[in-house]
Amino acid sequence: DLSSCRWMDGTQLYDAAIDFLQDYWHGMMAEVRAFYNYVDWQEPFIFYLLVFHACVFAVVIITRKRSVVQSLLFFSILGLTLCARMINDWCIKNYRTFTKHAYFQQSGFFISVMFSGPLLLCAFALLINFLVEAFNLLVQVKTEQLRRKKGRDAEDKKIKRT
């Protein structure tokens, strides 16, 4: 029943939204700090994982003008992200072979943050690059169309004059 609802004016609604966002932000930052403190950043596994992501990002930047390479890279990244659940399941069983800590859980939080997240950021960068390339190609095609139309119009005017 809407008549029993207590309506807030604009100021109260704004204040409630700000309070909610501040609480959410502080809670999220506490979670980020807890995650940061939980991970042993000196561990070789973490170091090599970060190096892997740096290399992938470098390849994304270096190959930005090569659409075929970027397409292969894009689908490879998406494939790795798709396999993250299987990788996580394997890591849950075998983490002792490459790390001292049991980072991997059934929820997949660690692999999502440390593996899939950075890969998806690279995939997003690739997608943005694809859109930029498509826009530039569209501009080139339209420019060529207008140039040809201008040439045809000039020819038509010459033919009409003679």
Side-chain angles (χ1 to χ4, degrees):
D1 182 30
L2 291 177
S3 62
S4 65
C5 289
R6 190 174 136 220
W7 294 97
M8 295 184 187
D9 66 4
T11 306
Q12 290 172 324
L13 186 60
Y14 175 78
D15 291 341
I18 293 297
D19 289 342
F20 171 78
L21 290 174
Q22 285 176 342
D23 290 344
Y24 182 77
W25 177 257
H26 292 300
M28 186 177 69
M29 291 311 295
E31 293 291 327
V32 167
R33 279 191 297 277
F35 179 80
Y36 179 80
N37 291 331
Y38 175 72
V39 174
D40 180 5
W41 298 98
Q42 303 301 317
E43 195 165 353
F45 163 68
I46 302 296
F47 174 76
Y48 291 126
L49 185 61
L50 295 175
V51 167
F52 166 74
H53 288 306
C55 290
V56 170
F57 187 71
V59 170
V60 167
I61 298 299
I62 291 168
T63 63
R64 69 182 180 277
K65 299 291 183 185
R66 298 183 179 137
S67 58
V68 173
V69 174
Q70 290 231 317
S71 296
L72 291 172
L73 186 60
F74 181 75
F75 288 113
S76 298
I77 287 171
L78 292 182
L80 282 171
T81 304
L82 186 64
C83 293
R85 183 180 200 114
M86 290 184 291
I87 295 169
N88 189 54
D89 291 341
W90 184 87
C91 290
I92 288 171
K93 296 173 190 166
N94 302 298
Y95 73 90
R96 287 182 186 93
T97 60
F98 56 90
T99 183
K100 295 181 277 184
H101 304 284
Y103 293 121
F104 302 94
Q105 302 98 15
Q106 287 295 326
S107 67
F109 180 77
F110 181 79
I111 201 161
S112 295
V113 170
M114 295 295 290
F115 182 73
S116 299
L119 286 177
L120 288 174
L121 287 175
C122 287
F124 185 69
L126 288 167
L127 188 61
I128 295 298
N129 190 51
F130 291 150
L131 291 173
V132 167
E133 282 187 33
F135 175 76
N136 289 337
L137 189 58
L138 184 65
V139 168
Q140 288 175 353
V141 167
K142 196 62 179 172
T143 303
E144 184 64 23
Q145 283 178 343
L146 291 173
R147 189 184 64 74
R148 288 183 181 187
K149 184 180 179 194
K150 187 177 178 181
R152 281 194 304 264
D153 289 348
E155 283 181 20
D156 289 345
K157 286 182 183 179
K158 284 182 183 179
I159 290 172
K160 287 182 184 178
R161 288 184 188 163
T162 57

